[in-house]
Amino acid sequence: MLPSFFDSVLQLIIRTSTELPPDVRAAMKTAVRAEPAGTRSAQALNIIAENIDLASDGEGAICQDTGMPTFEVKTPVGANHMWMRQQIRGAVAEATRRGKLRPNSVDSITGENSGDNLGPGTPIVHFDQWERDDVEIKLILKGGGCENTNAQYSLPVELPHLGRADRTLDGVRKCILHAVWNAQGKGCAPGAVGVCIGGDRTSGYAHAKEQLFRTLDDVNPDLRLADVEASIMATVNDLEIGTMGFGGRVTLIGCKIGAINRLPASFFVSVAYDCWAFRRLGLVLNGATGAIDRWLYRDPSHPIIPMLDQSGFIRTGREIPLHSPLDEQAARALKVGDVVLVSGRIFTGRDAVHAHLMKHDPPVDLRGAVLYHCGPVVVKTGDTWRVTAAGPTTSIREEPYQGDIVKRYGVRAVIGKGGMGARTLAAMKDYGAVYLNAIGGAAQFYARAITRVDGVSLLEFGTPEAMWHLTVENFPAIVTMDAHGNSLHKDIEQESAAHLEAIGA
Ligand code: SF4
């Protein structure tokens, strides 16, 4: 067996979770420079850039959602795949124990979290063989927010704002534009897409995800596909969806397209959307020892150049301090576009907590509360809990519940990302509450705004789904839905739909 295999895989997981590959860093640096200073997108990008630096400096998870670990492994003929799979699973569990991966493996029927990222189907490990003596392992960590924005089209299809997409490369182009438009800020834009033309529904999605192992700056060897990639990248930013869907000049940082054969009756276009926290690294291991021969996508002999040459989130002096709990007057005084700095007690709550609150009284008094859509990474030392990563999760999943919870229990502010829908907006207007958009993926940045863990309720749902009682100080967010019926998300969706019609024509 390979004595260093386990340690090498563990290093791969830790690096992938904490360090963005150079091509993604370069693309994000270009994005930072593209947005005019002082705009919402520029402020969001500064927080993202600071977060990227904090994560690699402190070996903390870039985003609290460390995603579905997906390994692509190539081995010499005759290698023992069963043993390797066991080692990889062991390394995943160890990385989880060290707080580098969030426990993300949940029983699909009971909702129970296995606590170590192991379970039926998780992690995903694909093996292949090659005529070489060494072993290649590539890893991608793709989170739930962006995974939920994946899309699959069966052509020909009629697309809103774009008309008919035929079984042609132009039809493919329209599908990609539609998928990016539809994602808005919910997948933590700016993102990148891996696309597959063809296959069946299953192989199409798998091949689309494989495209995300290409570097953002490569050129497709198939010139027909290279043309479509270039055409998408030349036009897609005219959608002006911008970072986190705040509006802005950069919406997509990469488009990678592959094609596989299909049945004559089927023509699928599958789009795998990845967020800016595009975590992908790889290793080549010595075939006899399992020790690292070299890294893929990164060169450890080159020092990491910081994303920022100045401090990240720059205050303008116009930020509004908010102290939780809030009263109605404070909530109604806020308007879309205001930047707030939240201090005081906040409570986390995501899918399991929202479902619970529809049937049970809350475990804490939520009158005037700030509810944070967040599944943090928390580690326990002795009796003390510490949050090591705590960015927002995608709020739209709570749309069926949120309006009722705001009104029933008196919540005055919801922090999340990607915005919410008409029901929540109406409830906020009725009751006097606001939606505060935090910057998706900025897990290290926000973890530092949490000064104390005061307690936890509903821990039986697992650490990401529990309700954490946190004290925060100057936690920045942008009001994107206010108590006057205004929604930045609705506005950007409508404006970008007009751009989509122009680009797609
Ligand atoms: S950056 Fe956003 S979409 Fe990406 S994993 Fe984190 S929360 Fe999910």
Side-chain angles (χ1 to χ4, degrees), residues 63-65 143 145-146 187-188 275-277 279 392 417 440-441:
C63 176
Q64 77 289 337
D65 184 354
C146 53
C188 290
C275 52
W276 68 260
R279 291 150 290 178
K417 58 127 171 146

Side-chain angles (χ1 to χ4, degrees), residues 109-139:
I109 296 158
T110 64
E112 194 179 332
N113 192 315
S114 69
D116 56 7
N117 269 309
L118 304 182
T122 56
I124 297 171
V125 187
H126 297 138
F127 285 102
D128 214 342
Q129 295 184 340
W130 61 1
E131 300 280 356
R132 281 171 52 168
D133 294 332
D134 44 18
V135 176
E136 180 188 271
I137 307 184
K138 292 180 176 175
L139 169 63

Side-chain angles (χ1 to χ4, degrees), residues 62-67 141-147 185-189 244 273-279 391-394 417 440-442:
I62 295 167
C63 176
Q64 77 289 337
D65 184 354
T66 53
L141 299 173
K142 185 171 181 300
C146 53
E147 185 68 12
K186 295 190 279 289
C188 290
M244 303 311 301
Y273 185 101
D274 209 340
C275 52
W276 68 260
F278 186 163
R279 291 150 290 178
T393 192
T394 313
K417 58 127 171 146

Side-chain angles (χ1 to χ4, degrees), residues 299-305:
D299 181 353
S301 66
H302 281 95
I304 293 175
I305 300 163

